[in-house]
Amino acid sequence: MAIESVDPADELAVPYVLDHGVLVEEGTHEELSAAGGLYAQLYALQATAYQDGNVLDDQTLDHRM
């Protein structure tokens, strides 16, 4: 799973969410967060790690997803 951002050289970058190489979501941060999909889950997981002061490794992420 990955979150990629493609910047078309303008002021707005649109996040693209890939799951095993397949595009599963795209939109603004606000749209993707409100949709509650994979982007929102990954964003919440990352935010929680920063709030808790924890560093998550790949094994921890695999276990939680």
Side-chain angles (χ1 to χ4, degrees):
M1 292 171 277
I3 297 176
E4 297 291 332
S5 192
V6 176
D7 187 352
D10 63 16
E11 296 178 13
L12 181 63
V14 177
Y16 292 89
V17 182
L18 305 175
D19 187 2
H20 300 285
V22 177
L23 178 64
V24 294
E25 299 177 56
E26 66 178 286
T28 65
H29 168 73
E30 290 78 15
E31 292 168 340
L32 294 171
S33 294
L38 183 57
Y39 178 91
Q41 292 172 13
L42 292 171
Y43 186 84
L45 182 62
Q46 182 178 14
T48 300
Y50 280 104
Q51 291 170 355
D52 294 344
N54 297 327
V55 176
L56 298 176
D57 57 24
D58 290 339
Q59 188 176 30
T60 303
L61 289 173
D62 289 342
H63 176 68
R64 290 187 177 189
M65 295 306 293

